């Protein structure tokens, strides 16, 4: 390890920040390690649209680590505190209130906020977003049986909120001009199937965007694009993406481009500052890659950042993976479906579980599955190990996928 | 010392996979997952993931670990120790013996 790195401050206690401190300690870093977060304690975000929103789990149950863990790992958790400025030249970060925290290296794991497009009227109190536990708490109070809810955006979070709201007895309208959403992530056929699940659960799907909101006596009226009738709701949720939190980086003069720009070792344009997770954006071979914005990608960033700080080679990258849960179905996807030139379906869309494999030049490059995580686990290994697989055997549900890997 | 409970024939558990033994058979608080590693050895862990409601017997077993089918936390087959998030708590291991192609389970005994 670099002898001059004895104090590391990690800014932000989401999955990326917590994984960074964990990976540093696991890798043998024995210097001063501080994690600063604005919340009471670091918690996991995926349940915010699922179990937590449904009221089946409380905040303690979605904590990323137990309170004792920080002591055991000798990590100083500075909670309920924001970092207000980076001072790389002075080897410090500034906390709200002005206190300086010495740091030889800083890791930015600041995540992002829910996108709030400039839709007129969307600043009203009946219009919600979902990124923090507080957002979920506020939203849950309106998800009562019979409540009329408009979900704007049918991507990952919007679809999950719609599903949870139906479970809770709400009357849900889901609006998205893209039909179907998620095609790039899971392929057009599965995307269409997934989108079709909403109507099957009684959700009214409106293929349009929202142009404006207007308060009414009893709720909020939404005006849609492309001539759909305006409708009145008790509440609306915007699930239209996230905006990376780059303010600290910008103020410190780091390069940003809809994300804090990092190299493949997670180092920003200032060698004393690294960035990981949803706030970071990688440049590889001169090319800015799209942000990944998934839970596991944040962990892999963290592992790479820790390796960089420890002066070790980065762990090998694996195919990107994410899951989503909606309407009682567990959906997973791995790899890059958009790169496939051949698609193989295993099982039947009429009878889940089933899976879809994307191949390119005879190699598996992606897979997505409904209620069949084993298919995705297998696909991930096929992708990472570049195993050549016979499509006819992939397609045959009687062929054990594990056996294909041997 | 008991002789354990005969719970399966070895050939019932394909390598890299698992089967569930119901708690009415094992007398434990949770069902037990019998997991067969890629080297052929058999291990037993509490079946329910410590994170949310998933059956570890449906997980991916490889090189000493089982990966949860839902959010991919991995648990050590031998010790039950959790290896990665989102699960934060380890699970409980149970001792297993294979004799003459039959699998015997010793609930709550450390392997
Ligand atoms: C509702 C929801 C559901 C999701 N579901 C899934 C899913 O099913 N599957 C999946 O793969 N991914 C899912 N994701 C995405 C996943 O949660 C994110 O990719 C992940 O949270 C990114 O982690 P992060 O640590 O980079 O950022 P974040 O989780 O956003 O954490 C950043 C932290 O930094 C703190 N912070 C920011 N600025 C400062 C500052 N100046 N000082 C101190 N602290 C600061 C913030 O308060 C926050 O706690 C979901 C996300 C949301 C919001
Ligand atoms: S249920 Fe096992 S990791 Fe989530």
């Amino acid at each position: 390890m670099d002898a001059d790195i004895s104090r590391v401050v990690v800014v932000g206690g989401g999955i990326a920040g917590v994984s960074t401190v964990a990976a540093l300690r696991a890798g043998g870093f024995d210097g001063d390690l501080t994690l600063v977060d604005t919340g009471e304690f670091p918690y996991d975000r995926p349940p915010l649209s699922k179990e937590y929103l449904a009221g089946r789990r409380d905040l303690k149950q979605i904590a990323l680590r137990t309170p004792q863990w920080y002591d055991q790992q000798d990590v100083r958790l500075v909670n309920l505190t924001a970092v207000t400025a980076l001072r790389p030249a002075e080897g410090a970060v500034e906390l709200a209130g002005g206190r300086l925290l010495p740091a030889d290296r800083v890791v930015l794991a600041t995540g992002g906020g829910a996108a709030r497009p400039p839709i007129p009227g969307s600043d009203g109190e009946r219009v919600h977003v979902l990124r923090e536990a507080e957002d979920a708490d506020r939203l849950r109070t309106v998800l009562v049986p019979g409540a009329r809810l408009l979900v704007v955006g049918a991507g990952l979070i919007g679809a999950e909120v719609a599903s949870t709201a139906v479970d809770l007895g709400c009357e849900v309208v889901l609006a998205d001009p893209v039909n179907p959403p998620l095609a790039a992530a899971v392929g057009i056929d599965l995307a269409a199937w997934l989108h079709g699940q909403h109507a099957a659960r009684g959700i009214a799907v409106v293929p349009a965007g929202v142009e404006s909101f207007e308060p009414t006596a009893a709720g909020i009226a939404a005006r849609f694009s492309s001539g759909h009738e305006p409708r009145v709701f008790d509440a609306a949720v915007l699930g239209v993406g996230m905006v990376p939190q780059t303010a600290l980086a910008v103020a410190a003069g780091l390069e940003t481009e809809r994300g804090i720009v990092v190299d493949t070792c997670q180092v920003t344009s200032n060698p004393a500052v690294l960035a990981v997770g949803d706030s970071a954006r990688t440049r590889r071979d001169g090319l800015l890659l799209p942000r990944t914005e998934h839970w596991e990608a944040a962990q892999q960033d963290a592992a790479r950042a820790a390796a960089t700080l420890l002066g070790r080679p980065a762990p090998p990258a694996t195919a990107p993976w994410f899951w989503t849960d909606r309407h009682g179905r567990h959906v997973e996807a791995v790899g890059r479906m958009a790169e496939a030139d051949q698609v193989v379906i295993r099982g039947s869309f009429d009878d889940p579980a089933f899976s879809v494999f994307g191949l390119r030049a005879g190699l598996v490059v992606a897979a997505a599955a409904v209620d069949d995580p084993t298919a995705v686990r297998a696909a991930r290994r096929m992708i990472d190990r570049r195993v050549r697989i016979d499509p006819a055997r992939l397609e045959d549900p009687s062929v054990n996928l594990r056996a294909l890997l041997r | 010392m008991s002789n354990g409970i005969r719970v399966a024939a070895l050939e019932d558990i394909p390598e890299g996979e698992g089967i569930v033994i119901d708690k009415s058979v094992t007398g434990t608080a949770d069902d037990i997952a019998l997991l067969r590693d890629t080297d052929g050895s058999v291990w037993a862990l509490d079946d329910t993931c410590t994170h949310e409601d998933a059956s570890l017997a449906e997980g991916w077993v490889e090189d000493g670990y089982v990966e949860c089918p839902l959010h991919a936390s991995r648990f050590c087959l031998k010790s039950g120790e959790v290896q990665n998030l989102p699960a934060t708590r380890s699970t409980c291991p149970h001792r297993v013996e294979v004799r003459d192609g039959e699998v015997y389970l010793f609930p709550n005994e450390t392997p």
Side-chain angles (χ1 to χ4, degrees), chain A residues 11-17 36-39 45-46 48-50 81-84 109-112 130-132 157 160 245 248 276-279 293-296 298 321-325:
Chain A
V11 186
I15 182 73
V36 188
D37 189 74
T38 47
R45 280 184 165 71
L48 295 183
S49 48
K50 313 175 182 81
T81 304
V83 169
T84 49
T110 47
L130 184 53
R131 180 79 194 182
E132 315 287 336
I157 292 176
E160 291 183 351
Q245 179 51 269
L248 291 174
V276 291
D278 278 9
S279 64
E293 295 179 19
H294 295 306
W295 189 89
E296 196 198 44
W321 170 80
F322 73 88
W323 80 93
T324 169
D325 296 297

Side-chain angles (χ1 to χ4, degrees), chain B residues 7-8 13 17-23 26 28 30-36 42-49 54-59 61 66 69 75-77 91-96 103 105:
Chain B
V7 284
I13 325 170
E17 297 184 31
I19 59 171
V20 192
I21 308 297
D22 197 88
K23 57 186 176 225
T26 61
T28 43
D30 187 12
D31 295 342
I32 289 182
L34 274 192
L35 304 161
R36 185 132 184 230
V42 183
W43 304 91
L45 299 174
D46 274 1
D47 185 49
T48 310
C49 182
S55 163
L56 292 182
E58 290 168 23
V61 186
V66 56
F75 298 87
C76 174
L77 292 175
T91 186
C92 178
H94 305 272
R95 191 161 76 84
V96 168
V103 182
L105 180 68

